[in-house]
Structure formats: structure tokens, C-alpha cells
Amino acid sequence: MDFTLSKEQRDIQKAAREFAVGEFLPEKAQEFDRNETFDLSIWRKACELGFVGVFIDEKYGGAGLGFMEHCLITEEFWAVDAGMGNAVITATFGSELLNLFGTEEQKQKYLPPLVQGEAIMGCAITEPDAGSDVTGAITSAVKDKDEWVINGSKMFITNGTIAKYMNVFCLTDPDHKDRHQRHSFFIVETDRKGFQANKLHGKLGIRANDTAEVSFSNVRIPASNLVGQLGYGFRHLMAFFNLTRLHICAMAVGIARAALEEASNHIKKRRQFGVPLASFQGLQFKIAEMATMIRAARNLYYEAAWLTDHGKMEHAVTAMAKWFSGQVAVKCADEALQMHGGYGYIDEYKVQRIYRDAKIVEIYEGTKEIEKTIVAKNILRI
Ligand SMILES: Cc1cc2nc3c(=O)[nH]c(=O)nc-3n(C[C@H](O)[C@H](O)[C@H](O)COP(=O)(O)OP(=O)(O)OC[C@H]3O[C@@H](n4cnc5c(N)ncnc54)[C@H](O)[C@@H]3O)c2cc1C
């Protein structure tokens, strides 16, 4: 296994870094974080420059690259600003499912607008009473002649109020004896009658990114909007998560890098006891530990991405990478804030935002506990 990046991959990484530095300006990042807003022209620009949906096939307007390249872009974006980085990089969230299981017609219809900056997507799985246990989802889809009728509500949906369409995980066979065969995915346009989205306010972090509670009241969609196989929703979801969890790892490593950079800059400038803080061995140890953890987390997610892109995907390796990189992000953010002392507690300082933004990577798309459960079950074979 060789994780050396190719010249093309290094070029993508560099271009993504330059884009993020040029567009995710500190004053904008602070404004969007405080006001829970985002300027979608930045997302459109990222689309024009080809940073959005690079894993989508060239046939549908994407770059036809691997998920590794998507991760490289994600890491660079999050290393500059998590809130804005997330708003741009998650605009295609859900397209991975279409890529894997969509019909040719669905791919032609829904994928090109995502890379052309014409549509934002979402993926609605979580419900008020079904989070880690996705099989508890009760939003229902009932067949009525050549249509499906959807009823229910979904919680914490990324891009909920701005998505043009979203994949929705629905209960289609509540009495099936195997609870893993009770659900199916559907693509739902958000301008359909009966769809409603309410933006959630007061998030701890990634506040530039839209998150909403969405509801479906007798929303009718054509039978052709079924994504993948009927009753295979859970299996499709696991395959989807194996991809999207990789980009969460990239987010985690990106924000951990940002924490290390902020901490290093601060302790070199700030003087106490007549010397720069950086001259104290206790703080040097923290820097060494952060840098080592970041490298280890990156190597682990590179391995998981490499396995996936080479058709050798291992759920347990992706799960290891996800919980570990999440822990590294949270630990690095904590240490970076600590090294800022009281200044780190004030929102004038970027490290405060990093501290708040980092926590999400241990929660969404499988909490750290769920990831560890996947790893343990794989080892124990239970
Ligand atoms: C900002 C944000 C964006 C999100 N975006 C989306 C989105 O776009 N689409 C979407 O569908 N969802 C989204 N989510 C939802 C997210 O995926 C869930 O919050 C997450 O999966 C956890 O579910 P829960 O919140 O219901 O927590 P719960 O499942 O109630 O878990 C609570 C705690 O119990 C622990 N726990 C639960 N079961 C076990 C177990 N078996 N063993 C050990 N510990 C356990 C969990 O790890 C957690 O610590 C988003 C969430 C947030 C905060």
C-alpha cells in the first residue's frame, strides 16, 4: 500500500488550500458563525472551479475522481474554516447514494446540477426518536398506484432549508421480520406539496452550515423516485456511510491542523515569565503530541480511503478512522484553546470557534460510540 500522493492529488490539495485561504476570510468566517448565515456565491465559485463533487462521474459533470480526492479537498477546506468549509463541501451530501445506487435516469437528472452550482442536496435519515438506531425510523412511504406517499419528520438535516432535493430514508415494510429490510430510500424534491423545513438555530459549531428539521405531510412522489432496491435502504445506507464517514475523517484532520497552527502561532508570540510560551517544555510536549496524533489520524483515513477507492473497502477500518480522527480533532482543539489561556475563551480568537466546530465530527454520521461498536463487533465476530 502506497499512500504517496500523486502529482495530480498534490495539485488538487494545493488548489483547494489556495481557494480556501482566498475565500474563507477570517472576518467572513466570524460573521457567518455569529449570524448563522453563509454566502452561497462562495459555494458557486467552488463549483465553477471544480472543487464540488469531484467523485461524481465525468458523464454527469463531475471529475470522475476517487473519494480520496474529495477527502483531500475537504481536509484543506476544514483546515482553513470548518463552518464555511462544511457549507461548501456538504452541498453534495446524499449524491454518494445516487452515485452508488441511482438509476441512469436519476443520475442524469440530479447529479449535474450539483456540480454546476445549480442545486444543493441533502440526505435525511435521523428522526426525533431514531438517531443511532436508524432502523427505528418511522417516516413512512406507502405505495398508492404509481406514486409513493411520504409522511413523517426528520431531525438535524444538513442543508434542510436550502436543498433542492434530498434522499429520504423511509419505512416501507414495517412488518418485515428482519428489521434491516424494512426501509428504502427515495429522492424527494423539496418544492413538493407537503414538504416543510425549519432551520435549527443555536448550534454549538459549524454555524455557517444550514441544519433543519424537515417534515413530510402526504408528500407524493413518482414510483421512479425510489433509490436503489425496495427494502434495501439499510444496506444502501451502510455503503453510503462508508464513503461519507471518510470525509468526516478528513474534516477532523483538517480542523486538528487548524488547532495546531493556531496554538503554534500563539505560543511563539505570547510571552510569560520573560520568555515566549513556546520555550516551555510542557507546551512543546503538547505540540509534539498534537502533530503526532494528526499524522496518525491522517494515515488511518488515507488507508481507509485507499481501500475504498481500490474496491477493498473495510467497514471496520473506516470506523476506526472515524472515531480516532474525531478524538484527535477534539483533543487538539482542547489543547489549542488551553494554550491560549483566557484569550482562547473569547470569540475574537479563532481557536474558540475551532473548539466549538470540532465537536461535531464525533457526532454526525455515526457517533464515536457507534463507530467503536462496529470495530469491536468486527473483532469479536458478534
Ligand atoms: C449539525 C448536525 C448535522 C447533522 N446532519 C444530519 C443529516 O444531514 N442527515 C441526518 O440524517 N442526520 C444528521 N445529523 C444527525 C446525526 O447523525 C445524529 O445526531 C447522530 O447519528 C446521533 O443520533 P442522536 O442525536 O439521535 O443521538 P442518540 O442516538 O440518541 O445517542 C445519544 C448518545 O447515546 C450513545 N449511544 C446510542 N446508542 C448506543 C449504543 N448502542 N452503544 C453505545 N452508545 C450508544 C450515542 O453514541 C450518543 O453518545 C446531524 C446532526 C447534527 C448535530
Side-chain angles (χ1 to χ4, degrees):
M1 230 180 269
D2 179 4
F3 301 142
T4 317
L5 299 183
S6 66
K7 173 157 185 331
E8 188 190 12
Q9 288 174 325
R10 280 184 278 117
D11 287 347
I12 291 171
Q13 203 176 34
K14 185 167 169 278
R17 175 83 187 172
E18 284 169 5
F19 174 80
V21 169
E23 296 293 330
F24 304 166
L25 301 175
E27 60 277 14
K28 283 279 162 204
Q30 192 178 52
E31 177 196 325
F32 296 151
D33 173 64
R34 283 181 178 164
N35 301 334
E36 304 182 331
T37 51
F38 182 60
D39 176 358
L40 287 175
S41 69
I42 298 171
W43 156 70
R44 279 193 201 95
K45 197 163 179 188
C47 289
E48 271 167 36
L49 295 172
F51 293 118
V52 177
V54 292
F55 54 87
I56 292 174
D57 204 286
E58 283 171 298
K59 208 169 143 188
Y60 312 111
L65 296 170
F67 219 70
M68 180 68 184
E69 284 76 13
H70 177 64
C71 288
L72 294 175
I73 295 169
T74 304
E75 185 185 319
E76 294 311 315
F77 281 9
W78 270 61
V80 178
D81 185 67
M84 294 169 82
N86 210 48
V88 172
I89 213 70
T90 62
T92 55
F93 184 54
S95 64
E96 302 85 350
L97 197 82
L98 289 176
N99 236 5
L100 288 171
F101 306 110
T103 61
E104 184 56 32
E105 198 189 6
Q106 288 169 345
K107 288 179 185 175
Q108 282 184 14
K109 183 172 175 187
Y110 300 111
L111 295 178
L114 300 175
V115 282
Q116 289 157 0
E118 287 166 9
I120 286 175
M121 197 175 169
C123 195
I125 306 142
T126 309
E127 297 186 2
D129 293 321
S132 299
D133 178 14
V134 292
T135 62
I138 55 168
T139 292
S140 63
V142 176
K143 193 90 189 270
D144 181 23
K145 299 194 190 87
D146 55 355
E147 288 184 322
W148 287 92
V149 185
I150 303 181
N151 278 289
S153 64
K154 298 281 179 182
M155 193 63 179
F156 305 127
I157 305 310
T158 298
N159 303 327
T161 70
I162 53 173
K164 216 166 181 175
Y165 33 85
M166 58 179 68
N167 287 317
V168 186
F169 186 69
C170 297
L171 187 63
T172 43
D173 189 356
D175 300 323
H176 199 291
K177 61 180 188 315
D178 180 354
R179 66 194 178 98
H180 296 116
Q181 293 189 46
R182 292 179 188 161
H183 297 84
S184 310
F185 268 108
F186 298 89
I187 185 149
V188 180
E189 293 84 357
T190 56
D191 59 359
R192 288 195 181 269
K193 195 163 164 260
F195 175 87
Q196 215 190 325
N198 295 314
K199 186 174 167 113
L200 294 171
H201 294 281
K203 290 205 303 274
L204 177 71
I206 55 163
R207 289 160 59 91
N209 202 188
D210 181 70
T211 311
E213 182 172 11
V214 302
S215 63
F216 307 83
S217 174
N218 289 319
V219 174
R220 289 185 167 266
I221 52 164
S224 57
N225 279 28
L226 171 72
V227 178
Q229 266 180 270
L230 191 64
Y232 275 58
F234 180 82
R235 286 183 219 182
H236 293 341
L237 178 61
M238 293 304 113
F240 165 73
F241 271 158
N242 191 70
L243 282 179
T244 58
R245 282 173 183 165
L246 288 173
H247 90 166
I248 308 291
C249 298
M251 293 173 183
V253 171
I255 200 163
R257 274 172 51 197
L260 176 60
E261 195 180 317
E262 286 302 301
S264 304
N265 290 341
H266 183 75
I267 65 170
K268 281 197 276 184
K269 269 195 262 149
R270 172 98 175 144
R271 296 173 72 87
Q272 287 295 285
F273 302 97
V275 290
L277 291 176
S279 61
F280 297 119
Q281 199 178 45
L283 299 192
Q284 290 172 5
F285 283 0
K286 287 184 195 289
I287 295 291
E289 285 163 13
M290 286 162 77
T292 309
M293 288 189 295
I294 291 169
R295 203 169 178 106
R298 186 190 285 114
N299 283 342
L300 196 48
Y301 101 67
Y302 274 17
E303 182 187 356
W306 187 93
L307 288 168
T308 300
D309 282 346
H310 287 79
K312 302 166 197 277
M313 182 267 278
E314 287 185 42
H315 282 294
V317 178
T318 304
M320 285 177 193
K322 170 131 186 346
W323 81 255
F324 183 70
S325 59
Q327 179 172 289
V328 169
V330 171
K331 175 81 179 153
C332 287
D334 182 38
E335 291 291 24
L337 190 146
Q338 189 67 23
M339 281 188 259
H340 278 71
Y343 296 96
Y345 210 68
I346 308 296
D347 95 332
E348 288 287 311
Y349 282 74
K350 183 179 173 182
V351 73
Q352 198 244 33
R353 195 166 66 249
I354 292 173
Y355 182 84
R356 290 186 286 106
D357 287 341
K359 184 62 192 170
I360 192 61
V361 295
E362 288 197 321
I363 297 173
Y364 60 10
E365 290 176 56
T367 62
K368 60 180 171 180
E369 291 80 11
I370 293 300
E371 301 306 321
K372 288 181 189 177
T373 303
I374 295 170
V375 176
K377 282 187 174 167
N378 185 266
I379 290 166
L380 301 170
R381 305 261 170 231
I382 52 170

